[in-house]
Amino acid sequence: MVPHAVGDDIAEAAERQMTDIIGTPVFLYGFPAELKAFYMKKMPRAEGAGEGGPVCTESCDLLMPGVGEIVGGSMRIADMDELIAAYKREGIDPAPYYWYTDQRKYGTCEHGGYGLGVERFLAWLAGRYTVRECSLYPRWPSRATP
């Protein structure tokens, strides 16, 4: 087995294995920006890190034993110019997102957000291995509709 290096993406199976071995909730943070959503705020580079290291986001995931990630969150880009540059980098037309951009244009504060995977949280509470057992409308290859 090859250990992960800084900048690697961590697959769900590896996350699960890590939390199962540790046996306690784990917060992962500082993901490489290329792996995360365009709207996530970037961390300043650590002093002495040099230009070659990855640019990381101010984000974190909460991993639970037996389930993996149940919560993901991040700080959001508050600067309009940085947000416009992120749209361009991702090839996103900013016109439909005028309302999101206007929040920066007319004033915003540093802010963040998160998402809780309700089915994953229920799977952790109930001790179930798969979220399919906790989903109101489960999907798998032979069942794509309710």
Side-chain angles (χ1 to χ4, degrees):
M1 175 163 61
V2 178
H4 286 93
V6 174
D8 286 351
D9 195 4
I10 301 174
E12 181 182 353
E15 287 180 349
R16 278 182 173 233
Q17 183 179 20
M18 177 177 57
T19 55
D20 291 348
I21 290 169
I22 295 171
T24 187
V26 174
F27 269 106
L28 291 181
Y29 67 94
F31 297 94
E34 341 34 272
L35 302 176
K36 293 305 216 176
F38 75 93
Y39 54 79
M40 291 185 178
K41 184 175 180 174
K42 291 163 187 63
M43 289 184 191
R45 286 187 192 267
E47 211 171 299
E51 291 299 312
V55 175
C56 295
T57 58
E58 289 190 17
S59 61
C60 66
D61 289 346
L62 173 59
L63 312 178
M64 299 300 281
V67 180
E69 179 187 340
I70 64 167
V71 177
S74 74
M75 294 300 291
R76 306 301 200 239
I77 294 172
D79 179 76
M80 191 172 95
D81 294 333
E82 188 179 347
L83 183 61
I84 296 294
Y87 289 144
K88 282 184 183 175
R89 186 178 57 252
E90 297 296 321
I92 297 172
D93 176 13
Y97 300 100
Y98 69 91
W99 56 272
Y100 193 70
T101 309
D102 281 355
Q103 292 175 19
R104 278 80 182 158
K105 183 177 180 180
Y106 297 113
T108 189
C109 60
E110 294 291 326
H111 63 285
Y114 70 93
L116 167 66
V118 176
E119 289 92 351
R120 290 172 181 254
F121 182 64
L122 288 173
W124 174 70
L125 284 176
R128 310 309 310 164
Y129 181 76
T130 176
V131 297
R132 282 188 221 144
E133 297 176 47
C134 300
S135 178
L136 183 59
Y137 300 107
R139 297 175 307 274
W140 52 88
S142 63
R143 181 185 166 136
T145 60

